[in-house]
Amino acid sequence: MIFRVLFFIFVLVPAMILIIPAQALINALRLPFWSVLPRLFHRIGRVFLGMRVTVIGQPATGRPTLLVSNHISWTDIIAVGSVADVTFVAKREVGEWFFVGMMARLQKTIFVDRTRRSDAGRTAQEMGAHMAGGNAVLLFAEGQSDIGTHVLPFRSALVGAAQHAMVEAGASDVMIQPLTIAYTRLQGLPVGRTERSLIAWIKSKSVGQNIREILGGPVKEVTVAFGTPRPLRDTDNRKLVTKAAENDVRAMLVALNRGQKLPVVAG
């Protein structure tokens, strides 16, 4: 814990003082390398949080990509953001949180109001416009975080809306890519269901309680596994496309939770 306090004071705070205004300027000028500083910040953040990230596969690059993933904890964003240049889709409430909302906007996070069906169209348009520029957008397709032992059914509504929005925005050669996040070890030991509750952000916990458990917990080993990307066409059946991605994510999560090895391409 002492290490994290010192790291926060002498590394994380100075980094934020430099990165926040620089990123705000980069965004304001609409410079193409806007994702460089967020990725650096996430790499610093994962050291502070005691996270070791292993990457399996690789994100599709150089083309518009919709990443669909399971969701376990807010630390998923740090893990994925440290290894891939992506824009996240988050619930509207996140944008209203003190400091977190500001940091999310600096990374061009797209917010969705899940209490209003009509908001899906606006969100999809933002996703389509961003991907039309050759960028990647990550959607936590379960619609909520879970404990990490299994994958909840993926919601196909935003995937379908994004299909049409991408075409309208001029995006071509769009890919949909499954992404699995798995917390495999704590302090070098395999993670059981009890230990998962110290990581996962579940409804029975307050934000403060979850943050305290993460900051006070041991080193966390996280695997970020990129599956095989597939073409995403406007004419594809959104439910079938979403279900195929869900099955891929579930298969990878089960394998990783069982300790089965997959080829490591990068780390």
Side-chain angles (χ1 to χ4, degrees), residues 121-171:
R122 177 201 58 79
T123 303
Q125 288 179 350
E126 288 190 40
M127 292 168 62
H130 191 72
M131 285 186 284
N135 301 299
V137 171
L138 189 148
L139 176 66
F140 292 118
E142 295 165 300
Q144 65 184 63
S145 57
D146 193 53
I147 199 165
T149 56
H150 57 281
V151 175
L152 300 175
F154 280 7
R155 299 182 178 183
S156 62
L158 269 182
V159 174
Q163 284 177 288
H164 300 291
M166 287 183 291
V167 173
E168 292 176 3

Side-chain angles (χ1 to χ4, degrees), residues 27-132:
N27 287 352
L29 296 176
R30 298 184 178 182
L31 299 177
F33 50 85
W34 66 270
S35 61
V36 173
L37 289 181
R39 188 164 179 176
L40 173 62
F41 178 77
H42 287 308
R43 291 198 170 197
I44 295 172
R46 79 184 194 189
V47 175
F48 171 64
L49 295 173
M51 297 171 64
R52 295 174 182 167
V53 180
T54 297
V55 180
I56 297 176
Q58 56 188 355
T61 57
R63 69 185 80 179
T65 304
L66 176 63
L67 290 159
V68 285
S69 173
N70 65 314
H71 190 23
I72 299 171
S73 171
W74 56 271
T75 54
D76 299 349
I77 294 172
I78 306 296
V80 177
S82 70
V83 299
D85 297 331
V86 298
T87 289
F88 295 92
V89 178
K91 60 183 181 180
R92 174 185 55 81
E93 293 84 350
V94 173
E96 299 172 354
W97 292 348
F98 174 72
F99 183 72
V100 174
M102 177 192 68
M103 298 300 287
R105 287 186 174 85
L106 286 175
Q107 196 173 348
K108 300 189 177 183
T109 296
I110 299 169
F111 298 105
V112 57
D113 187 347
R114 295 196 179 105
T115 64
R116 297 171 53 197
R117 282 192 171 186
S118 59
D119 199 52
R122 177 201 58 79
T123 303
Q125 288 179 350
E126 288 190 40
M127 292 168 62
H130 191 72
M131 285 186 284

Side-chain angles (χ1 to χ4, degrees), residues 1-12 48:
M1 192 65 183
I2 294 178
F3 166 78
R4 287 181 184 167
V5 172
L6 294 176
F7 190 90
F8 179 81
I9 295 172
F10 295 107
V11 179
L12 189 58
F48 171 64

